[in-house]
Amino acid sequence: MTVRVTRSVAAREAALLAAKTQDVKPQLADTNGPVIIQKTRKSTADRKRKLPAEQPENLSKAPKKRKTNGTLPSLNVNDDLPHNLGSVVQTLESINADLKLNKQDPGIKEEADLDKLATDLQKTVDKTTEGLPQQIKTSKKKNPYGLTPGATPFPEWARPTPEECEEVNRLLSSVHGEVTPPTKIPEPSLTVTGCGEVPSVLDALIRTLLSGATTGRNSALAFGGLVQRFGILEEGIGKGSVNWDAVRQAPLKDVFEAIKRGGLADVKSKKIKAILDMVYQENQARKNILVKEESNGPSDLTAKTEGEKQYEIACADQNFLSLNHLHTLSTEDAMTELVKYPGIGPKTAACVILFCLQRPCFAVDTHVFRICKWLGWVPPGKATEVTAFSHLEVRVPDHLKYSLHQLLIRHGKTCPRCRAITGQASAGWEEGCVIDHLVARTGKRKEGNAKIPVVSKRGTGRKMRTDTDESDE
């Protein structure tokens, strides 16, 4: 005859076995009260007692949960919970009390009430998350540059003086020709990227981004790739401009393929897509403010004429991405707006302000920074390109910012003594330098006619590079 092992018998056997294993003595309470388990001292006999060799077959499986009277077992343990949460007993007693209270409230158990509760919760979630994807897309990076318009990070460094700036501008002009800012921005080229010398602010921003950390030839190839793949707007408000909305909607791999000949395509394609997404969201938000005639929008919107308002609304309606409203902002506000976009630092923003917005702004690139260090215009060993920009923006007179920026770049690219990679053995070194008496060159200076072996990226072969090779950045 087979003995039937019920769940109650199995549970009792499991409790006895657990008590023997954990050296505790079970005390069974009545069916209506909590189960209390107290620790007992282990006797010598208990220590010598062996566990049963076999266990009931049913005990190998966890018993199914049984309905209780709504209370949790209390443990007669005096240990406290971590983080000052109280004792185990107090916590379990509090839970038991809450369970009893909920059990006494039959209303929440009704199916209709449960459905209503679920509906209300879903409405709350929907209301909270409404518009969340748009908020994520338009999130703005914090300004990490610490720019302080009108203040220099090196107030104790009194150079350059206006006289020094005039002298360097005069000397460099004698070699490279006089440089004057154009009275009118030229029409954009579809083959040359440039550094923002175009009427469209967004066009200028993307062009300048593409020209960063590469040669002029490579940046032109990258921009030409965008034109060939995504085309030019043939009609409408943005006629003649790159179809930036097509670039925005295109897969990332298509943008990468379009600009890959210009170098750094992996990084730049992601930044271009992120910038265009932000511009689109901002254009739509500005249009909604204008259409609803809200008075709490940006100050530049409220100051617009009726014609300017209709133009901006039409741009957004036709998905013509535009940053042309930056033309109406102050130089400081325009800088703040530009550096919020991914991949746009003070140098790129300053170029857009200088060449596109046609404001005095002393953009500092690698050539400008190098020569300004040699001239002693920034503190040696302290300045970076960003802090040098903040310092020189204050120290260089406004009427010289355009010409000095251009002249220092030309000189840094062509002077045999002021190029980035040069030395006394470089071709043309003996010709001298027009500002030789003003500079104290630092950095790695090469001696002799030795050539530098360079490992080719396309294979294991080696080629020889002279010490005059450099980037046309």
Side-chain angles (χ1 to χ4, degrees):
M1 177 177 178
T2 303
V3 178
R4 181 171 175 268
V5 180
T6 64
R7 284 182 295 190
S8 59
V9 172
R12 184 179 183 87
E13 292 293 339
L16 291 173
L17 180 59
K20 293 177 181 179
T21 305
Q22 301 177 10
D23 295 327
V24 296
K25 181 179 179 181
Q27 294 184 0
L28 301 179
D30 57 47
T31 56
N32 294 324
V35 178
I36 299 176
I37 302 176
Q38 294 180 335
K39 291 185 178 181
T40 60
R41 293 184 63 85
K42 190 174 182 182
S43 64
T44 304
D46 290 334
R47 286 197 298 268
K48 294 181 179 179
R49 187 183 301 122
K50 295 183 179 180
L51 293 176
E54 297 181 358
Q55 300 178 14
E57 182 180 354
N58 288 25
L59 295 184
S60 61
K61 299 180 181 180
K64 296 183 179 180
K65 293 183 179 179
R66 301 181 63 191
K67 293 184 179 180
T68 65
N69 60 353
T71 62
L72 294 176
S74 298
L75 300 178
N76 188 15
V77 180
N78 294 323
D79 294 338
D80 288 337
L81 293 170
H83 308 299
N84 298 319
L85 296 178
S87 68
V88 174
V89 175
Q90 292 172 340
T91 303
L92 291 178
E93 287 177 351
S94 175
I95 295 173
N96 285 336
D98 290 340
L99 289 174
K100 289 180 180 179
L101 181 62
N102 290 338
K103 186 178 180 181
Q104 293 171 1
D105 184 9
I108 200 171
K109 300 296 185 181
E110 297 295 332
E111 184 175 355
D113 289 342
L114 289 174
D115 292 340
K116 182 177 181 303
L117 179 61
T119 302
D120 291 342
L121 287 174
Q122 187 60 48
K123 289 181 179 178
T124 303
V125 171
D126 293 341
K127 185 176 180 181
T128 303
T129 57
E130 184 177 0
L132 188 59
Q134 180 175 348
Q135 293 173 7
I136 293 175
K137 289 182 180 180
T138 58
S139 62
K140 301 175 182 179
K141 71 176 181 181
K142 294 181 179 179
N143 183 355
Y145 305 108
L147 299 175
T148 52
T152 168
F154 311 114
E156 74 287 351
W157 199 259
R159 301 184 64 194
T161 64
E163 293 75 20
E164 288 178 310
C165 294
E166 293 282 3
E167 176 69 3
V168 171
N169 190 79
R170 182 185 66 81
L171 291 170
L172 294 180
S173 298
S174 68
V175 176
H176 305 289
E178 291 188 5
V179 176
T180 56
T183 56
K184 182 181 179 181
I185 302 177
E187 290 298 318
S189 168
L190 297 181
T191 57
V192 179
T193 307
C195 286
E197 305 95 331
V198 289
S200 166
V201 181
L202 179 59
D203 223 36
L205 186 66
I206 302 298
R207 288 168 182 260
T208 310
L209 175 63
L210 288 173
S211 69
T214 190
T215 64
R217 177 180 177 276
N218 285 343
S219 62
L221 288 173
F223 186 76
L226 290 175
V227 173
Q228 293 174 8
R229 183 172 287 262
F230 301 104
I232 301 296
L233 294 175
E234 301 293 341
E235 57 184 12
I237 291 178
K239 183 178 180 179
S241 173
V242 177
N243 190 348
W244 293 119
D245 192 57
V247 180
R248 178 185 70 87
Q249 297 187 58
L252 179 61
K253 64 177 182 179
D254 289 354
V255 181
F256 171 85
E257 288 294 329
I259 68 173
K260 68 179 181 181
R261 290 184 296 172
L264 299 177
D266 182 47
V267 175
K268 290 182 179 180
S269 59
K270 293 176 182 176
K271 295 187 185 306
I272 289 172
K273 289 276 290 179
I275 290 171
L276 296 178
D277 279 338
M278 288 181 65
V279 172
Y280 173 80
Q281 296 291 344
E282 291 167 0
N283 286 174
Q284 297 300 316
R286 289 173 65 88
K287 183 199 79 169
N288 292 336
I289 293 173
L290 291 173
V291 170
K292 297 177 182 178
E293 298 183 347
E294 298 177 3
S295 58
N296 59 346
S299 58
D300 68 292
L301 282 181
T302 57
K304 284 181 177 293
T305 64
E306 188 60 30
E308 291 171 336
K309 292 179 181 178
Q310 293 304 318
Y311 171 81
E312 191 157 345
I313 292 173
C315 286
D317 285 340
Q318 297 181 24
N319 288 342
F320 170 62
L321 305 188
S322 172
L323 286 177
N324 289 340
H325 62 276
L326 298 187
H327 278 287
T328 63
L329 300 184
S330 68
T331 299
E332 291 78 12
D333 290 342
M335 172 64 72
T336 302
E337 284 295 301
L338 288 169
V339 297
K340 76 186 180 185
Y341 294 107
I344 304 303
K347 179 248 181 178
T348 301
C351 285
V352 174
I353 292 172
L354 179 64
F355 295 115
C356 178
L357 302 186
Q358 293 186 296
R359 315 278 182 81
C361 196
F362 195 68
V364 176
D365 79 335
T366 180
H367 301 293
V368 175
F369 183 50
R370 180 175 67 256
I371 298 177
C372 284
K373 285 191 296 182
W374 291 349
L375 286 167
W377 286 6
V378 293
K382 292 184 179 180
T384 64
E385 286 191 23
V386 173
T387 56
F389 163 74
S390 294
H391 176 71
L392 295 170
E393 179 70 4
V394 173
R395 301 298 304 180
V396 176
D398 282 351
H399 71 281
L400 294 175
K401 287 178 178 176
Y402 185 94
S403 59
L404 264 180
H405 170 80
Q406 294 278 51
L407 288 169
L408 288 172
I409 290 178
R410 293 181 189 179
H411 192 70
K413 289 180 178 180
T414 60
C415 176
R417 296 194 176 192
C418 293
R419 288 196 296 261
I421 304 176
T422 188
Q424 294 184 10
S426 301
W429 182 274
E430 67 281 355
E431 297 175 6
C433 170
V434 69
I435 58 173
D436 216 26
H437 61 293
L438 299 177
V439 299
R441 296 181 181 88
T442 59
K444 188 175 182 181
R445 307 257 55 85
K446 298 179 177 61
E447 301 291 342
N449 293 315
K451 296 180 182 289
I452 311 163
V454 178
V455 178
S456 173
K457 294 182 179 179
R458 296 186 178 180
T460 57
R462 300 168 72 86
K463 67 176 182 177
M464 303 306 292
R465 183 185 69 184
T466 64
D467 56 4
T468 58
D469 289 342
E470 64 177 354
S471 169
D472 185 32
E473 185 180 8

